[in-house]
Amino acid sequence: MKKQMTLAASVLSLFLILSGCGNDDSGKEAGSDGGSSDKPVSWVANSVYPENNHNGEGLKEFAQKLDEATDGKVKLEVQLGGALGYEGPELLSAVRDNAVPVSDILTSGVAGDEPLFEIVTLPFLVQSYEEGKILNDISRPYFDKMAEEKWNQKILYIAPWPAAGFWTKNEVKSLADMKGLKMRTYDKNGALVVEAAGGTPHPLPFSEVYSSLSTGVIDSVLTSTPTGVDAKFWEVLDYYVPANVTMATNFVSVNLDELNKLDKETQDKIINAGKEMEEIMWKIGAELDKEKEAVVNENGITTLEPSQEFMDSLAEVTEDIRQDWLKTAPPEAQEIIDQFNKEVGR
């Protein structure tokens, strides 16, 4: 009898322990399992850009939005200026592997890992800011599917850069003036443009641009006006040619495993906050270009408006870049471009 009572007590104790474990775990499952967790989470959010850059400011604003939307349940610990040591091309893999749970990523900068992202900066495909938004809206479903299925991450928002132009020490008014330039580029397409125009591309991360200009490693830069302000180009360069070569974008994504640890309601709040942030960033971008150009002009940079002859010659020498890319690009690329051309009437 005593042995039976001892056995019964042991079974009851084991049952209570297992029941307790089940209760603890029930709130930790997430996403499609319908679980929930009341514990707040803090994600490190990476950016290679400085605090006064529109992407850095946008990421900080997004952190505030998440804090408010989730009642403090989800917080971003924003790390700017490349403080975490990432230079850019590896960030798609870094978020996938959860080396950093959230990051701001230059879309075309990770095209080495995912070729479809290169479509954003096909030279002279987008001919206005409005067309850039159209291309983004058409591409977004393809990017979302690819990011989730292949790269274990959820794109939360996409933000535009003003179109890229040439920043130089000497006047550049024709294709002949491009020959021999040692120009910093930020992606493959930009490098191909510089090569086609007779220059030598130097693919450098933002953090190395100023020092490379100062030491003569490069003598020119292909980029947009916000970067011109961030890098204080007026200290090392003299001219800006707004040639509208490409119009880059950045996206902010979160590791999908981290997102799926949260309950469905919190996930929806995060996604909705991302949609709001994307709208804000595109509104900011519409005014940003002229504001930043005014800053560099005030500090000594002279804007050289390109002639139609110069623009026509640039478009001509880069035609093969667009066509050659499509030959090896993922099949979705042609679908996107066909839809884009139909939408803009070309």
Side-chain angles (χ1 to χ4, degrees), residues 263-288:
D263 59 89
K264 182 64 165 57
E265 182 181 1
T266 302
Q267 290 184 44
D268 289 342
K269 289 178 179 178
I270 293 171
I271 292 168
N272 288 334
K275 291 178 180 178
E276 292 177 9
M277 198 66 226
E278 184 159 331
E279 290 182 10
I280 291 170
M281 294 302 288
W282 281 87
K283 288 179 181 177
I284 290 172
E287 304 169 353
L288 189 65

Side-chain angles (χ1 to χ4, degrees), residues 85-160:
Y86 296 104
E87 294 188 340
E90 72 277 28
L91 279 170
L92 194 64
S93 297
V95 175
R96 176 197 63 193
D97 300 337
N98 206 15
V100 58
V102 177
S103 188
D104 185 5
I105 300 174
L106 178 66
T107 307
S108 60
V110 291
D113 282 335
E114 188 47 66
L116 187 61
F117 282 142
E118 203 169 342
I119 198 169
V120 174
T121 55
L122 280 184
F124 304 105
L125 172 65
V126 168
Q127 297 178 11
S128 69
Y129 187 79
E130 291 72 24
E131 288 189 4
K133 183 65 167 66
I134 291 170
L135 181 62
N136 179 73
D137 292 345
I138 293 171
S139 303
R140 182 63 188 273
Y142 294 89
F143 289 176
D144 285 340
K145 185 173 187 291
M146 176 181 62
E148 293 179 35
E149 294 182 358
K150 293 179 62 177
W151 293 96
N152 192 39
Q153 55 201 279
K154 175 72 175 176
I155 296 175
L156 298 175
Y157 68 88
I158 297 179

Side-chain angles (χ1 to χ4, degrees), residues 50-69:
E51 189 167 349
N52 59 348
N53 178 272
H54 70 293
N55 283 303
E57 292 175 345
L59 190 56
K60 289 193 300 179
E61 183 174 346
F62 183 57
Q64 294 175 350
K65 278 188 170 295
L66 282 193
D67 191 17
E68 294 168 2

Side-chain angles (χ1 to χ4, degrees), residues 45-53 55-57 59-60 77-88 91 103-104 205-208 230:
N46 170 76
S47 175
V48 300
Y49 304 104
E51 189 167 349
N52 59 348
N53 178 272
N55 283 303
E57 292 175 345
L59 190 56
K60 289 193 300 179
E77 181 188 329
V78 177
Q79 298 289 331
L80 300 176
L84 299 180
Y86 296 104
E87 294 188 340
L91 279 170
S103 188
D104 185 5
F206 175 79
S207 59
E208 297 179 18
D230 293 341

